[in-house]
Amino acid sequence: MSGTAAERLDRFMARANAAYYAGRDPFADFTTAPEITQAFGEILGAWAAVTWQAMGAPDPVLLVEAGPGRGTLMADALRLVGRVAPAFGRAIRLHLLETSPRLRASQAEALSGTGVVPTWHDRLDTLPDGPFILLANEFLDALPIRQLVRTAGGWMERWVEGDRFVLRDADVQPVAVPGRSVAQGDVLELCEPAMAVVRHLTERMSRQPGAALFLDYGSDRPGTGDTLQALRQGRPSPPLEHPGEADLTAHVDFPLLAHLAREAGVAVHGPDGQGAFLDGLGLFARTERLAQGRPPEQARALADGAHRLAAPERMGRLFKVLGLCHPTMALPGFGREEAS
Ligand code: SAH
């Protein structure tokens, strides 16, 4: 990527990430929960099966994953579902939201042994209608953000010129989130694609059974601040340098997304800490089962993986889980205390 004309931050981020996901193996630069332990995808498969029951066991049901990466989460989830909830397994119509051709190929390969053939989409609005369950792990953090700056003269916006930021007048207002106060000089992030995802899903949920689970990093309290970050060759890197060679992400604004969903009249669960959520759904029990009869180093790797996902000082607290569903449905796994 090149060019010196100023570009709005979200457009810069969209371009940089599209080039990055299309051209590189992102998983050489970072490790996500499903790549850490198979128990993660299995627990989410079990969660989806219980959620399907809570929806009244519709057949068919759309199982949707947004940003499936290598397809590992879904392969682990489907394997578990096939064993413990075969009726759910038979009802599933699998839809994957993925823009990277390269990752689509990885997903096809990961899922080839499951007997389930996915349909891929570039956008949510091409999904067929009907009851659905959506899973998204580390999807929202990859979506492009805008950054607004509160100044004495009103809202300004950060644009990218070369490898630095410049300020322009903003042509958009931030969404007011209950409990958030903004002082002069504060940066406020706005992830319009994430807001569009929530609006799309809540519109569907208001007229048919549906549930969505977002796992990602971000705060559970309304806040402000610049959270844009880049990982290049496994290491933090200045976000505006080397576009297309680094993974650009930002914290997910869970309070804003929860607020939008509430306004739309759907039920909101969490955001809870990922550790409490996974522990409550049996991450450690499942890990022990998996470790039984395995060589000690494999058993240790499984235990370490579970610890990494759930311990508060690792991913257990920074990562949050947000559940949205049709207003009359229950969702399993929420409202637990943090794992110790
Ligand atoms: N969920 C996976 C991968 C996380 S990486 C895991 O946990 O391992 C982010 C994923 O979102 C990648 O699959 C990337 O290609 C996809 N993605 C990023 N932006 C997207 C967009 N705008 N539309 C669809 N998929 C996108």
Side-chain angles (χ1 to χ4, degrees):
M1 281 182 32
S2 64
T4 49
E7 184 176 33
R8 216 171 67 194
L9 174 60
D10 57 330
R11 296 181 189 139
F12 170 86
M13 186 171 171
R15 225 157 47 89
N17 271 350
Y20 175 75
Y21 282 105
R24 311 210 148 218
D25 175 11
F27 298 93
D29 286 333
F30 57 80
T31 308
T32 56
E35 306 298 330
I36 291 171
T37 169
Q38 72 183 76
F40 182 76
E42 293 177 346
I43 293 286
L44 295 189
W47 178 89
V50 176
T51 299
W52 177 68
Q53 290 292 346
M55 290 167 76
D59 183 358
V61 63
L62 308 184
L63 181 60
V64 185
E65 187 179 357
R70 284 177 164 165
T72 309
L73 187 168
M74 191 50 74
D76 291 337
L78 291 175
R79 190 171 6 86
L80 191 282
V81 164
R83 243 189 3 256
V84 306
F88 175 45
R90 284 190 297 274
I92 286 173
R93 303 294 178 272
L94 184 61
H95 293 266
L96 303 178
L97 180 68
E98 175 62 67
T99 41
S100 159
R102 190 188 172 112
L103 288 176
R104 283 187 179 194
S106 305
Q107 292 152 20
E109 194 179 320
L111 295 168
S112 61
T114 63
V116 180
V117 179
T119 306
W120 279 273
H121 302 261
D122 283 322
R123 308 164 48 92
L124 273 182
D125 51 23
T126 57
L127 278 181
D129 215 30
F132 71 97
I133 298 172
L134 178 138
L135 300 172
N137 184 61
E138 289 207 52
F139 166 66
L140 297 175
D141 68 24
L143 299 179
I145 55 160
R146 301 174 70 168
Q147 286 186 337
L148 305 178
V149 184
R150 178 81 175 257
T151 72
W155 288 101
M156 304 286 285
E157 177 159 16
R158 287 173 125 186
W159 287 54
V160 179
E161 195 172 80
D163 60 3
R164 62 189 189 97
F165 282 118
V166 292
L167 283 183
R168 299 237 172 130
D169 286 335
D171 62 2
V172 66
Q173 292 282 322
V175 180
V177 176
R180 178 156 67 197
S181 57
V182 187
Q184 223 178 86
D186 280 351
V187 172
L188 200 61
E189 295 179 337
L190 197 61
C191 186
E192 289 173 333
M195 293 162 66
V197 166
V198 166
R199 288 198 173 109
H200 178 92
L201 295 177
T202 55
E203 189 278 319
R204 286 181 70 126
M205 283 171 194
S206 62
R207 52 186 174 79
Q208 61 193 194
L213 192 69
F214 296 100
L215 301 100
D216 226 308
Y217 75 116
S219 177
D220 51 5
R221 307 224 173 93
T224 60
D226 174 1
T227 74
L228 183 67
Q229 66 173 53
L231 270 186
R232 179 170 176 255
Q233 292 162 2
R235 281 195 294 277
S237 160
L240 305 188
E241 287 177 21
H242 315 291
E245 292 176 26
D247 177 50
L248 291 178
T249 61
H251 283 212
V252 173
D253 189 347
F254 285 111
L256 167 64
L257 300 179
H259 171 68
L260 292 179
R262 266 187 212 103
E263 295 263 285
V266 311
V268 176
H269 299 266
D272 285 1
Q274 168 173 287
F277 182 83
L278 294 176
D279 187 18
L281 288 171
L283 174 69
F284 290 100
R286 179 66 192 149
T287 299
E288 272 175 32
R289 277 287 305 278
L290 287 168
Q292 274 165 20
R294 301 243 192 147
E297 66 276 16
Q298 281 184 25
R300 207 172 313 115
L302 284 162
D304 286 351
H307 179 76
R308 188 168 162 190
L309 297 188
E313 73 280 11
R314 307 291 298 277
M315 295 165 74
R317 190 178 287 162
L318 174 63
F319 278 73
K320 307 292 187 307
V321 188
L322 177 70
L324 308 178
C325 65
H326 187 273
T328 61
M329 269 177 64
L331 275 193
F334 286 92
R336 305 286 184 139
E337 293 300 313
E338 187 169 89
S340 53

